[in-house]
Amino acid sequence: MQEDSVTAVDERLLELRADCGRCFGLCCVALPFTRSADFAIDKDAGKPCQNLRTDSRCGIHTQLREKGFNGCTVYDCFGAGQQVSQVTFAGQDWRTGPRERARQMFDVFPVVRQLHELLWYLNEALALPPARPIHADIRRALAETERLTNQSPEELGELDVNAHRQQVNTLLLRTSELVRAGVGRGKKKERRGADLMGARLKGADLRGANLRGAYLIAADLTGADLRGADLIGADFRDTDLTDADLTDAFFLTQPQLNAARGSAGTRLPRSVTRPGHWTADE
């Protein structure tokens, strides 16, 4: 791939990262929490988290894991927070307006979050050379998804986002087939939706595997080869990725990676960053 193409995609993906400084803490208010291993408290949708400060920042951001809010560390809005705050509602804080507007913001936020997640996948698909035969279709889907994100609050509230997801998913499935066809010497590794919880896959050859929606909770993937694998929707909670090779794995998001364990030796695709809680000793 040409360097300018990589840079352009990197810039687009950067725009789809959360910018909490331009958001009114929507994920800390709009979404519900259930007391569990991921959250230390119960919280209803539309109710501000007890840790949310008046400046829309988290009061325990640097201690989330220690304070029992591990779920917050593995969440990413894909930039929906700043989109809803600054574009959809033109910089109007939910605290200062009428209650109805606040409710509308909280309802719209998860819709835009889903659209932004689709934008992430579509932009990544454009960066995959084997998918070139359908790049024109991907660009059309990308343009339509961007158009939907810029609709009014009322239009977003009526949007059938699931129907749009299904249309985009058809392209993502085709992208996966094209990319994986040239990986792993033609071997087909179909693990879509597989129950691999706690599986012992140390050093496994998973090149070009289809791991869409696979349950890899607490699986041991130490030293596994995941190059060119489709990881969309795979559940990596507490998965051990120590020294695993995820180079050129695709449709992997930062929240998935944040939920896993890894090391300095874990090799990652350029679309994600090494989580701060990973250490060389993990």
Side-chain angles (χ1 to χ4, degrees):
M1 190 188 314
Q2 294 182 349
E3 186 63 31
D4 56 348
S5 297
V6 173
T7 301
V9 171
D10 286 346
E11 290 177 352
R12 288 195 293 268
L13 292 180
L14 189 61
E15 294 173 357
L16 294 171
R17 296 187 185 277
D19 184 351
C20 298
R22 297 172 56 211
C23 177
F24 299 126
L26 293 181
C27 65
C28 305
V29 187
L31 306 179
F33 301 163
T34 299
R35 187 188 295 269
S36 63
D38 291 323
F39 296 102
I41 61 172
D42 290 320
K43 187 190 82 63
D44 294 331
K47 177 182 178 181
C49 174
Q50 64 186 27
N51 300 308
L52 183 64
R53 303 187 315 202
T54 56
D55 64 355
S56 297
R57 296 303 182 99
C58 175
I60 60 167
H61 181 69
T62 60
Q63 300 175 293
L64 284 168
R65 289 179 177 272
E66 294 83 351
K67 297 289 187 179
F69 288 85
N70 190 61
C72 297
T73 69
V74 299
Y75 177 80
D76 194 306
C77 72
F78 295 97
Q82 62 258 31
Q83 173 74 16
V84 173
S85 297
Q86 303 301 328
V87 179
T88 312
F89 287 89
Q92 301 175 78
D93 194 329
W94 55 268
R95 298 178 180 86
T96 58
R99 185 173 300 178
E100 178 56 35
R101 187 177 71 196
R103 283 198 296 267
Q104 195 175 36
M105 289 184 77
F106 303 153
D107 289 342
V108 163
F109 172 66
V111 174
V112 176
R113 196 267 184 191
Q114 290 191 64
L115 292 173
H116 273 223
E117 183 179 9
L118 294 178
L119 288 176
W120 178 280
Y121 293 137
L122 288 167
N123 274 294
E124 186 174 354
L126 283 177
L128 299 171
R132 190 170 289 115
I134 60 169
H135 275 182
D137 293 330
I138 293 172
R139 289 191 183 93
R140 282 191 287 271
L142 181 62
E144 174 60 11
T145 306
E146 289 178 335
R147 184 191 70 79
L148 293 175
T149 66
N150 289 311
Q151 291 186 121
S152 69
E154 292 75 19
E155 290 171 320
L156 285 166
E158 296 177 357
L159 176 65
D160 187 347
V161 70
N162 289 327
H164 184 66
R165 285 189 75 99
Q166 290 176 7
Q167 293 174 3
V168 171
N169 191 50
T170 299
L171 285 174
L172 300 182
L173 284 168
R174 181 58 180 146
T175 297
S176 178
E177 292 169 355
L178 289 169
V179 174
R180 292 185 298 108
V183 182
R185 297 178 182 175
K187 295 178 181 178
K188 296 228 181 203
K189 302 182 178 70
E190 288 296 331
R191 305 289 183 89
R192 183 176 182 179
D195 183 353
L196 298 171
M197 291 190 287
R200 298 177 181 178
L201 296 168
K202 184 175 182 178
D205 180 1
L206 294 169
R207 288 173 295 168
N210 182 0
L211 289 166
R212 288 175 148 251
Y215 296 94
L216 288 156
I217 302 169
D220 182 4
L221 286 170
T222 303
D225 192 343
L226 290 147
R227 287 176 292 172
D230 181 349
L231 301 177
I232 194 168
D235 193 334
F236 280 113
R237 283 178 290 172
D238 204 32
T239 303
D240 192 347
L241 295 174
T242 298
D243 296 335
D245 190 350
L246 286 81
T247 306
D248 296 327
F250 57 100
F251 297 151
L252 174 68
T253 65
Q254 196 65 45
Q256 287 173 286
L257 204 59
N258 290 347
R261 294 181 289 123
S263 68
T266 305
R267 281 157 284 185
L268 302 173
R270 61 183 297 136
S271 59
V272 293
T273 58
R274 196 174 307 277
H277 65 280
W278 286 13
T279 68
D281 297 327
E282 285 189 313

